[in-house]
Amino acid sequence: MQGSSTSWNPHDRLIAGLRAVGSLSPEDEAAARQLPLRIQPIGPHTDVLREGDRPTECCLILDGFFVRHKSVAGGHRQILSFHMLGDIPDLECLLLPTVHYSLGSLTPGRVAFIPHAALRQTVLAAPELGDLLWRATLLDASILRAWLVSIGRRPAYQRVAHLFCEVFMRMRALGIAEETGFTLPITQMEMADALGLSAVHINRTLQQLRQDGVIVSHGKYHGFTDWDRLSKAGDFDPGYLFSRGDA
Amino acid sequence: MQGSSTSWNPHDRLIAGLRAVGSLSPEDEAAARQLPLRIQPIGPHTDVLREGDRPTECCLILDGFFVRHKSVAGGHRQILSFHMLGDIPDLECLLLPTVHYSLGSLTPGRVAFIPHAALRQTVLAAPELGDLLWRATLLDASILRAWLVSIGRRPAYQRVAHLFCEVFMRMRALGIAEETGFTLPITQMEMADALGLSAVHINRTLQQLRQDGVIVSHGKYHGFTDWDRLSKAGDFDPGYLFSRGDA
DNA sequence: CGCAGATTTGAATGCAATCAACACTGGTGG
DNA sequence: CCACCAGTGTTGATTGCATTCAAATCTGCG
């Protein structure tokens, strides 16, 4: 599980991540394979990037579950997004000098650092690769907007359901979720920070979802008996998740 | 006020909007000036774009106050962002076929439509212009993240203060706000939809802010007596708003 | 086993929503 | 010019979803 370390090499992961965003010509793939990758294992609950940093490398996720997050005056924390294999959460730093959030792991994992300089050079030589990266940041923003809607206007029950739908579909697309359920390797506290709720309330909401038979949980594994009910409960419309214009 | 129709021509607006994001070489400027712009006046409370549309043009705002917004199952609406002169709110559609939000005016205004085909061609010929546009979408996402934090984790009082800070700084940078205050041409209902609150609660929160002497309102004009207090009240750090890496 | 972190439960509190009037405003048409 | 009206802003009372605080269980793990 967790897309366990099949013997994919890092560049394969990169290519797969790019293909998830759009089609990749052989030349572009070749260009991407030239990129230098510095592999680094990351412990659990470790920040790779801190608010205010001015990174010189991007961070490709090879393994593990990561979040972008930010804290506010009152001490509360907001998780901005979840990231997993193939994502480059700090891609924007290629064009924006300073990050205004932190990037951290929840589980142990591995990342590959790509120097900005190399990436810029490659993109210059392979403009369509650049478009792909641009599109990746746009999809990221798309997910962000969906979160904003959820957090701004949906009650807890729908919020949780919506998050389940989204993360499940993403993991499914990556081949790291079962057909009818998935393992969400995060605590209820972290779910709370993602959804703008308290951990206690997350707990009660999950109980409600279980009681309603919408989900069946065994530890961090959550099974869905009825996708229709879940997606309706979450007011979920997957169109925003993928770039292919079918919807 | 409202950057009243000085006799700027639409291309000047476009150039100014681009310069706000980064520096523009003479060649790039020349390229941008070649873009065909179809001007269109927009009435108040009119949608330019509807959720699910597959636009073939981008929409440059010349005048007026616009929002991206989306409605949820319960009937509530979430405003995703505010846009004003120089913005291209639907720029992402250049790469993503379908929009998953609506784009509408609050005030009367004017927009210039730019055909995707022409823009793509221009970007191809002037890659640095492409980077500028990319960066524009990244700044947009940056603001989105700030909203997510606010809505997810800040109480109403801070949320309103934070929004005031952000929009004020943006309008100030565009030269359409006074030194010590600005006119926010939106109703309390719309502010509520932006902040994930009810109109009634917005009303009470504004009263609180006035009572505390943080703002002084005359209709839609809001004056600030003490920027420090306002930005502290809103837990506001402007770094995310601009791309220049001074912070 | 024993500990730390995570989940669960209960009780009390509170922020914000909702419901319902009422006042104010600007614009329209008689 | 004034009456009227719809939309907006304001106020009060009530409800409720979610938070906080606190303590008890459970779980994985050294």
Side-chain angles (χ1 to χ4, degrees):
Chain A
M1 60 197 65
Q2 180 68 292
S4 63
S5 349
T6 42
S7 52
W8 282 35
N9 77 46
H11 281 101
D12 287 337
R13 281 261 188 269
L14 174 61
I15 302 299
L18 291 171
R19 275 202 210 291
V21 176
S23 59
L24 198 67
S25 75
E27 300 80 45
D28 292 343
E29 179 175 339
R33 286 196 183 279
Q34 299 303 316
L35 285 167
L37 300 182
R38 185 169 63 81
I39 315 299
Q40 191 161 106
I42 306 287
H45 304 285
T46 308
D47 276 346
V48 175
L49 216 64
R50 210 89 56 144
E51 200 183 329
D53 283 355
R54 305 168 130 266
T56 59
E57 306 174 301
C58 285
C59 169
L60 167 70
I61 297 179
L62 299 176
D63 244 317
F65 217 78
F66 290 71
V67 293
R68 293 193 287 210
H69 59 102
K70 179 164 172 128
S71 295
V72 301
H76 284 283
R77 181 173 80 138
Q78 177 65 44
I79 288 177
L80 298 163
S81 51
F82 289 124
H83 294 282
M84 40 208 137
L85 98 229
D87 285 349
I88 307 179
D90 60 346
L91 185 52
E92 57 165 291
C93 295
L94 199 62
L95 293 180
L96 262 28
T98 312
V99 282
H100 298 284
Y101 50 78
S102 299
L103 173 62
S105 65
L106 298 186
T107 68
R110 273 160 62 242
V111 303
F113 290 106
I114 315 172
H116 285 172
L119 194 49
R120 256 191 283 262
Q121 217 172 334
T122 304
V123 163
L124 215 62
E128 289 183 14
L129 193 79
D131 279 3
L132 227 55
L133 294 179
W134 187 359
R135 193 181 297 171
T137 63
L138 293 176
L139 283 173
D140 181 72
S142 202
I143 294 175
L144 219 58
R145 279 191 290 270
W147 281 41
L148 191 67
V149 171
S150 243
I151 293 181
R153 285 307 188 197
R154 284 198 260 256
Y157 192 87
Q158 291 183 34
R159 264 188 242 187
V160 173
H162 193 278
L163 183 73
F164 274 29
C165 289
E166 180 201 296
V167 178
F168 172 69
M169 290 226 81
R170 287 172 60 193
M171 290 179 73
R172 194 93 189 99
L174 293 170
I176 54 176
E178 334 240 311
E179 180 105 31
T180 124
F182 70 141
T183 297
L184 229 200
I186 69 178
T187 66
Q188 295 181 357
M189 169 88 232
E190 286 151 357
M191 208 181 295
D193 283 343
L195 294 175
L197 297 165
S198 73
V200 171
H201 198 56
I202 289 287
N203 184 290
R204 291 180 168 133
T205 306
L206 285 173
Q207 286 180 54
Q208 194 65 50
L209 281 162
R210 290 192 273 257
Q211 196 177 307
D212 293 354
V214 177
I215 62 174
V216 182
S217 310
H218 292 39
K220 311 223 143 149
Y221 179 87
H222 304 280
F224 313 135
T225 52
D226 184 347
W227 174 258
D228 242 42
R229 265 185 74 206
L230 179 65
S231 60
K232 244 168 223 127
D235 187 22
F236 179 72
D237 173 7
Y240 70 96
L241 275 180
F242 307 104
S243 65
R244 298 330 179 97
D246 315 325
Chain B
M1 57 197 69
Q2 181 68 297
S4 62
S5 350
T6 42
S7 52
W8 282 35
N9 78 45
H11 281 99
D12 287 337
R13 282 262 188 267
L14 174 61
I15 302 299
L18 291 171
R19 275 202 210 292
V21 176
S23 59
L24 199 67
S25 75
E27 300 80 44
D28 291 343
E29 178 174 341
R33 285 195 184 281
Q34 298 303 317
L35 285 167
L37 300 182
R38 186 169 62 81
I39 315 299
Q40 191 163 105
I42 306 285
H45 304 285
T46 307
D47 275 348
V48 175
L49 216 65
R50 210 91 52 145
E51 202 183 327
D53 283 355
R54 303 168 132 265
T56 59
E57 306 173 302
C58 285
C59 169
L60 167 71
I61 297 178
L62 299 176
D63 244 317
F65 216 78
F66 290 72
V67 292
R68 292 194 288 211
H69 60 102
K70 179 164 172 128
S71 295
V72 300
H76 284 281
R77 181 173 81 139
Q78 178 65 45
I79 287 176
L80 298 164
S81 52
F82 289 123
H83 295 283
M84 40 208 136
L85 96 233
D87 284 350
I88 307 180
D90 60 348
L91 184 52
E92 57 165 291
C93 295
L94 198 62
L95 294 179
L96 261 28
T98 312
V99 281
H100 298 285
Y101 50 79
S102 300
L103 174 62
S105 64
L106 299 186
T107 67
R110 272 159 63 242
V111 304
F113 289 106
I114 315 174
H116 285 172
L119 193 49
R120 255 192 282 262
Q121 219 172 332
T122 303
V123 162
L124 214 62
E128 291 184 11
L129 193 78
D131 279 2
L132 226 56
L133 293 180
W134 187 0
R135 191 180 299 170
T137 63
L138 293 176
L139 283 173
D140 181 71
S142 201
I143 293 176
L144 219 57
R145 279 191 290 270
W147 281 42
L148 192 66
V149 172
S150 243
I151 293 181
R153 285 307 187 197
R154 284 198 260 256
Y157 192 89
Q158 290 182 35
R159 265 188 241 187
V160 173
H162 193 278
L163 183 73
F164 274 29
C165 289
E166 180 201 296
V167 177
F168 172 69
M169 290 226 80
R170 286 172 62 193
M171 290 179 72
R172 193 92 190 102
L174 293 170
I176 54 175
E178 335 238 311
E179 179 105 31
T180 122
F182 71 141
T183 297
L184 229 200
I186 69 177
T187 65
Q188 294 181 356
M189 168 89 231
E190 286 152 356
M191 209 181 295
D193 283 343
L195 294 176
L197 296 166
S198 72
V200 171
H201 198 57
I202 289 288
N203 184 291
R204 291 180 168 131
T205 306
L206 286 172
Q207 287 179 53
Q208 195 64 50
L209 282 161
R210 291 192 272 256
Q211 195 177 308
D212 293 352
V214 178
I215 61 174
V216 182
S217 310
H218 293 40
K220 311 222 144 149
Y221 179 87
H222 304 281
F224 312 136
T225 52
D226 184 347
W227 175 256
D228 243 42
R229 265 186 74 205
L230 179 66
S231 60
K232 245 168 225 127
D235 187 21
F236 180 72
D237 173 7
Y240 69 96
L241 275 180
F242 308 103
S243 64
R244 298 330 179 99
D246 314 325

